[in-house]
Amino acid sequence: MIKIAVAGTGYVGLANAILLSQHNEVVAVDIVPEKVEKINNKISPIADKEIEEYLTAKNLHLTATTDAESAYRDAEFVIISTPTNYDDEKNYFDTSSVENAIETVLAVNRNATIVIKSTIPVGYTESIIAKYKYNKILFSPEFLREGKALYDNLYPSRIIVGSPQGVDDMKTQAEKFSRLLQKGAIKQEIPTLIMQATEAEAVKLFANTYLALRVSYFNELDTYAEIKGLDTKSIIEGIGYDPRIGNYYNNPSFGYGGYCLPKDTKQLRANYKDVPENLISAIVQANETRKDFIASDIIRFLESKKSDKPVVGIYRLTMKSGSDNFRQSAIQGIIERLLKCSITVCIYEPTLSSSVYMNCSVIKNIDIFKSESTIIVTNRFENQLKNVVGKIYTRDIYSRD
Ligand SMILES: NC(=O)c1ccc[n+]([C@@H]2O[C@H](COP(=O)([O-])OP(=O)(O)OC[C@H]3O[C@@H](n4cnc5c(N)ncnc54)[C@H](O)[C@@H]3O)[C@@H](O)[C@H]2O)c1
């Protein structure tokens, strides 16, 4: 069995650790002791059906630890899946957690092949190879969706591994790593591409920016329809029958959000610094314009209720039904805009334990929430709201995506 260490046990790290620990000896590393303890007790730190099932029911060769050095010391592969948040001051990803993991690996094991799974700027792998004078570094973009993290690795759309330019040994290691991912998957005949690391980095950012473009496109279509008094659904249905466009991933929303799309689009825009472009910047800008429009549309709807004490109720902070977190959700941008207009806002979000969030009161009881809210704003319609349809503000058409 091959020895593998995984740095970071979030959505990406844990899904990969579980997938690979079916046939290899895997040690998962995190800086948060509670996560490590949960994994060792076969409890998933994130809500994910397949992860929960695999942790308890499968014979995995998986342990977790906070002792990074011991985990990296004799691993053949060290996978890095730590956060790369966007730093608004530097206008670039903050890759310090990735470098931190690389430095720890290099201090204890200079034979390891490091595989970066975190999303990184285009050109990052080559720059880090030059910085550390260590060329055993691969980049393998991750395409999983939160909530389907392990599922998307068991049935991957594709496997991509990028190796540094001109390093033949690393191309061999890239192929070996791709076979490890294939072996852990259930899907057969997975499209597998070995390419240059810089190209693999571009694949990840261009893929997510396309998704953001598509979301923004249907959102701007919806803004147009709403202002001109047209039926969004008829228009979307009409264009979707063109097989080149298709009837999927076309449900209007308050904006794209989640952990990845907002930051990955901004990073790609930063990578275009010396390259002519209009579209990439427009995608980032379109999301802000959409949220401005939604906030003003909500205020119009609120005013139509002619209430003495108007309150906007926010139903859930998550992006989609079934999600277990609300990192960078568009609704939070809407709340900020409403608060700037001195609108009273309350929130219903069962996963929040605090009683105040973003300076808004958090109401735990759904019935009290419904009765105290003049209108209820929700990104996606849920059955729980059926008895208050007259109060609902949403741009959801299909109850999906
Ligand atoms: N979440 C997604 O849907 C998704 C999809 C594709 C790619 N990605 C990318 O993968 C990376 C990780 O995303 P995520 O959602 O899994 O993040 P996450 O926040 O869920 O998990 C990251 C984990 O890394 C741990 N960590 C931080 N620094 C560490 C260190 N030095 N050593 C060990 N552990 C450390 C954190 O405690 C945390 O548990 C990001 O670059 C992200 O852009 C995420």
Side-chain angles (χ1 to χ4, degrees), residues 80 82 94-112 114 116 120 123-138:
I80 300 180
T82 59
D94 173 2
T95 51
S96 56
S97 75
V98 176
E99 275 131 70
N100 181 301
I102 292 176
E103 285 165 20
T104 311
V105 176
L106 296 187
V108 294
N109 178 0
R110 295 188 70 93
N111 291 316
I114 295 172
I116 302 174
I120 48 179
Y124 181 77
T125 305
E126 294 289 354
S127 75
I128 218 75
I129 283 173
K131 177 175 171 186
Y132 293 111
K133 299 187 177 43
Y134 187 80
N135 65 12
K136 294 180 198 159
I137 305 183
L138 306 172

Side-chain angles (χ1 to χ4, degrees), residues 8 10-12 30 35 82 84 118-119 142 146 260 263 327:
Y11 294 85
V12 174
D30 208 290
K35 288 195 174 187
T82 59
T84 49
S118 302
T119 305
E142 176 59 63
E146 288 177 10
C260 292
K263 74 182 180 79
R327 298 192 275 194

Side-chain angles (χ1 to χ4, degrees), residues 46-58:
I46 52 180
D48 185 294
K49 206 166 71 195
E50 282 78 20
I51 289 182
E52 284 156 17
E53 182 201 321
Y54 270 63
L55 272 177
T56 51
K58 299 275 176 179

Side-chain angles (χ1 to χ4, degrees), residues 7 200 229 396:
D396 181 17

Side-chain angles (χ1 to χ4, degrees), residues 347-367:
I347 298 171
Y348 174 76
E349 176 46 69
T351 65
L352 269 182
S353 49
S354 56
S355 57
V356 176
Y357 186 81
M358 294 178 75
N359 282 325
C360 307
S361 64
V362 177
I363 302 181
K364 312 264 174 202
N365 180 302
I366 185 71
D367 295 318

Side-chain angles (χ1 to χ4, degrees), residues 36-65:
V36 165
E37 197 186 317
K38 276 194 173 162
I39 296 166
N40 284 331
N41 288 313
K42 300 185 182 303
I43 300 166
S44 175
I46 52 180
D48 185 294
K49 206 166 71 195
E50 282 78 20
I51 289 182
E52 284 156 17
E53 182 201 321
Y54 270 63
L55 272 177
T56 51
K58 299 275 176 179
N59 180 24
L60 304 177
H61 310 280
L62 174 67
T63 53
T65 181

